[in-house]
Amino acid sequence: MSPHMTSDEFREYGKQVVDWIADYLDTVESRPVRSQAEPGDVRRALPEHPPEHGEGFAEILADLDRVVLPGITHWQHPSFFAYYPANSSGPGILGDLLSSGLGVQGMLWATSPACTELETVAVDWFAELLGLPFRTDGPGGGVIQDSASSASLLAIIAALHRISDGTVAQQGITERHMVYVSTETHSALAKAARIVGIGAGNVRVVGVDQKTLAMDPEALDRMLAEDRAAGAAPVLVCATIGTTSTAAIDPIRAVGEVCRRHGVWLHIDAAYAGVAAVCPELRWVNDGVAEYADSYATNPHKWLLTNFDCTTMWVADREPLVAALSIQPEFLRNNATSSGAVVDYRDWQIPLGRRFRALKLWAVMRWYGAEGLREHVHTGLAQAASLASWVAEDPHFALHEPQTLGLVCFRPRWPALSEEDADAATLRLMESLNNSGALYLTHTKVAGRVVLRMALGGTRTEQRHVEAAWQAIRAEYRGT
Ligand code: PLP
């Protein structure tokens, strides 16, 4: 007898799985947001050895309830306010399921033309929805990556290729290349610098405006000039639209002018906030991108309803990226590639193989339409505005301003405590809220002080959840 699942069995269990997911999402609110598991709990609940004889799917599903769910932190819980959201949605989940169902590996156009061409259309559509100028029929174009971190790494690889005229791809790094970030830039840039061999020590950290926490373009200008005068070869500046700590927005136009003057690649990490531009009144976040960005990445897998993983990345000119990464081993040769008439996305990313991620983004854009996406962003913004106003009105709390987009940062006031003790008290307050299971929030540091962060914009978060979270925070504060 064949060990494979028959199509009748697949239909039966497939329906059970979809029902399981629907029930899970319907009841996720009743679960503690952050997993209460202790280290090793999940592992201990699992057999030490794999089965010799196959098991029924019902048993797998039973273990999902018994073993897996207690070890899940519920990112789709309406009271999940930690980090930034990783939204899922019905069309996003189903698009991903269809990708699994097709089981396509789209490394080349020839290995599934639809996987490539649908992706090209999806990223072109998405650029249009965000009001971005990137189009695949021009010199640049877009691609879907697994993460914003990969996009940053790829930007550095492309920038190294451009600045060295291809030498780095052949001989490795022969000059003292430098990458420029701000104090607020995501750690993915330092990681990328380590990976490419530039080294974290050659990541230069530019200061920020003390209030807005946005990169200081004049400080960048000075640093670039000094480094070049000292014999270094600046390669890339990463500006951020929506920093991880406070959603600060770097002045792209001013930073871009500096980059242009110094001949340095400008990468924009808009992982969180770029998608806000589906709302025309928020397109200001991307001011300067059209004129100055060499590469740009934003994550529909954060705020915009597309299941993880889905980072849309565009380059103004695809040549340095593709030239840096394209290698033609015999086993990948095919007529379509040789004709030059097709895109092979393997040359736009680190791995060779690639999933059919475009299906979920395409499904999300078609299901919601531009108006549905705008409505979702507006809901998160309205919830953030309410929370910010409650914090601002409460004398026991200090709101971090400017409050930006869907992120609200604040800290409790502890007038009797030193700064150090106050920070410790803030962290204890956060831990006890998170241990309660009622909500999940995280912290950061601003100007050396601990600050709490609440990111709004979850698919299932309603105003009542934000109100309940705020009441829980106040009650916890009063109880300390
Ligand atoms: N860049 C910024 C500004 C972020 O906020 C984040 C994550 O929150 C990242 C990069 C990393 O994103 P990814 O997980 O897609 O690599």
Side-chain angles (χ1 to χ4, degrees), residues 258-322:
V258 172
C259 291
R260 185 70 47 87
R261 218 169 329 111
H262 289 271
V264 177
W265 185 288
L266 174 60
H267 176 62
I268 313 282
D269 177 3
Y272 162 64
V275 300
V278 291
C279 303
E281 76 278 12
L282 297 175
R283 298 239 163 108
W284 58 267
V285 299
N286 285 329
D287 179 50
V289 168
E291 295 86 343
Y292 295 107
D294 291 295
S295 51
Y296 180 102
T298 189
N299 287 355
H301 73 220
K302 280 188 160 59
W303 194 358
L304 215 62
L305 302 163
T306 310
N307 284 58
F308 192 87
D309 52 354
C310 184
T311 294
T312 43
M313 177 191 189
W314 292 273
V315 283
D317 176 8
R318 58 184 170 265
E319 203 277 331
L321 178 64
V322 173

Side-chain angles (χ1 to χ4, degrees), residues 102-119:
L102 289 170
V104 159
Q105 201 276 60
M107 59 188 172
L108 301 166
W109 178 89
T111 62
S112 254
C115 182
T116 295
E117 295 191 15
L118 188 72
E119 182 159 330

Side-chain angles (χ1 to χ4, degrees), residues 85-331:
N87 288 167
S88 82
S89 67
I93 297 168
L94 294 176
D96 226 4
L97 181 60
L98 288 169
S99 169
S100 294
L102 289 170
V104 159
Q105 201 276 60
M107 59 188 172
L108 301 166
W109 178 89
T111 62
S112 254
C115 182
T116 295
E117 295 191 15
L118 188 72
E119 182 159 330
T120 303
V121 169
V123 290
D124 277 359
W125 275 15
F126 198 53
E128 188 178 320
L129 280 176
L130 301 183
L132 292 172
F134 308 112
R135 292 292 176 279
T136 314
D137 54 10
V143 58
I144 299 178
Q145 306 288 356
D146 57 357
S147 64
S149 305
S150 292
S152 297
L153 174 60
L154 288 158
I156 297 181
I157 290 169
L160 277 170
H161 197 84
R162 187 174 79 178
I163 200 176
S164 71
D165 249 339
T167 307
V168 167
Q170 295 309 319
Q171 294 168 28
I173 289 177
T174 53
E175 286 187 81
R176 182 142 192 240
H177 288 302
M178 286 183 166
V179 165
Y180 297 77
V181 301
S182 85
T183 53
E184 306 301 307
T185 306
H186 195 275
S187 55
L189 269 291
K191 194 174 188 177
R194 291 188 194 183
I195 294 169
V196 296
I198 285 179
N202 288 315
V203 176
R204 300 277 274 140
V205 181
V206 181
V208 293
D209 177 276
Q210 287 312 299
K211 184 156 173 62
T212 62
L213 304 182
M215 184 185 278
D216 175 353
E218 284 165 21
L220 172 69
D221 194 15
R222 283 194 300 276
M223 211 178 249
L224 282 163
E226 282 163 20
D227 289 348
R228 208 182 282 287
V235 104
L236 173 141
V237 173
C238 177
T240 307
I241 297 176
T243 59
T244 313
S245 272
T246 63
I249 295 175
D250 288 338
I252 303 301
R253 184 171 293 283
V255 169
E257 278 162 13
V258 172
C259 291
R260 185 70 47 87
R261 218 169 329 111
H262 289 271
V264 177
W265 185 288
L266 174 60
H267 176 62
I268 313 282
D269 177 3
Y272 162 64
V275 300
V278 291
C279 303
E281 76 278 12
L282 297 175
R283 298 239 163 108
W284 58 267
V285 299
N286 285 329
D287 179 50
V289 168
E291 295 86 343
Y292 295 107
D294 291 295
S295 51
Y296 180 102
T298 189
N299 287 355
H301 73 220
K302 280 188 160 59
W303 194 358
L304 215 62
L305 302 163
T306 310
N307 284 58
F308 192 87
D309 52 354
C310 184
T311 294
T312 43
M313 177 191 189
W314 292 273
V315 283
D317 176 8
R318 58 184 170 265
E319 203 277 331
L321 178 64
V322 173
L325 298 176
S326 180
I327 301 177
Q328 296 293 346
E330 189 55 37
F331 55 84

